[in-house]
Amino acid sequence: MSSAVSDVCVPAPLPARADRVLVLLARTAERHPAGAALLRAAAGAVLGVPPEEVLVGREPSGRPVLGGAARGLHASVSHVPGLSAVAIGSRGPVGVDVERLRAVPAAALARRWFGAREAGWLAGRPEAERPLQFLRMWTQKEAMGKVLGTGLSDGGLLRPVRLGAPAGTVLGPVPGSPRFYIALPPAPEGFVLAVAGGPEAAGCRLEVLTLPPPAAPPDHGAACPSRSAESGAARTSGSEA
């Protein structure tokens, strides 16, 4: 995917529904795509307007702020080598975080950074499962920090998360954190993804759309990928503010 907005293939318009949060996943090559370009394309698709009518600014914390035709929508961006994610909704601030699934000393890191309850829960998982569960916990904490616009500061690593929650596309409550609602949508193979919102987003469904890989030659006659609220997420195979 290039940084040109016109190169981003997004079905337009995507019906703007208050009970949905749009999540765009873009497979990337060696470099990250321009986050502002992806945000403009996504917001434009939601509103049915050209991306050029969407303005993207930044709060001092780095959280993106949408303006122009997209004023009033809330957005979050995250990317790691190989995948970028954008979340856009209308029911209060949203947060998205993506991590590459990899081997990490999960139990030791949890003891160092997380609360005793979470570290103990992780230590009780089978060893082979711990990296995935640790990264699911980490992405939830990152996503919640983006809802607040503070990241992991102010005790962000100690915020409770949903332990052992199954993959899903509905923002559900977090025990011990009534300010947050979280979903763990299925991510492309090799990645872990979390999306969070505040109380206004309780019960919202995620509409997940995976964009074509950037390495593919442009096919202007090809249709954009299909989508749906739940099956769209299932079709996927597996930071920023």
Side-chain angles (χ1 to χ4, degrees):
M1 178 156 105
S2 81
S3 60
V5 175
S6 60
D7 290 341
V8 180
C9 181
V10 180
L14 296 173
R17 295 180 53 175
D19 63 342
R20 300 294 167 94
V21 173
L22 174 65
V23 179
L24 288 181
L25 304 178
R27 300 304 296 261
T28 62
E30 300 81 19
R31 63 182 181 86
H32 298 315
L38 189 58
L39 277 172
R40 286 195 295 270
V46 168
L47 297 168
V49 302
E52 293 76 13
E53 295 185 18
V54 176
L55 303 179
V56 178
R58 295 278 177 179
E59 294 180 351
S61 66
R63 178 164 58 180
V65 178
L66 298 179
R71 185 178 302 276
L73 291 179
H74 301 269
S76 181
V77 180
S78 178
H79 42 223
V80 295
L83 188 70
S84 291
V86 166
I88 292 182
S90 60
R91 286 191 177 180
V94 295
V96 64
D97 193 65
V98 62
E99 289 285 344
R100 181 177 287 278
L101 181 58
R102 60 196 185 277
V104 295
L109 290 173
R111 287 194 302 269
R112 178 178 180 183
W113 297 113
F114 298 166
R117 175 175 175 268
E118 292 176 349
W121 179 86
L122 187 65
R125 303 299 96 194
E127 186 172 356
E129 183 186 329
R130 290 175 191 169
L132 171 62
Q133 294 299 340
F134 173 84
L135 291 169
R136 281 183 169 177
M137 295 160 72
W138 185 275
T139 54
Q140 290 181 72
K141 292 173 188 287
E142 288 271 19
M144 288 190 290
K146 293 177 181 181
V147 171
L148 297 176
T150 60
L152 294 176
S153 62
D154 299 327
L157 287 172
L158 297 178
R159 294 186 190 113
V161 297
R162 299 179 67 184
L163 298 177
T169 57
V170 177
L171 292 174
V174 180
S177 293
R179 303 165 65 187
F180 302 105
Y181 289 76
I182 283 181
L184 298 168
E189 184 176 357
F191 297 92
V192 180
L193 180 67
V195 179
E200 310 95 324
C204 283
R205 291 184 178 273
L206 308 182
E207 186 162 5
V208 181
L209 174 67
T210 301
L211 302 184
D219 181 357
H220 299 294
C224 287
S226 59
R227 58 184 176 81
S228 72
E230 296 189 19
S231 61
R235 278 193 295 273
T236 63
S237 57
S239 209
E240 208 172 300

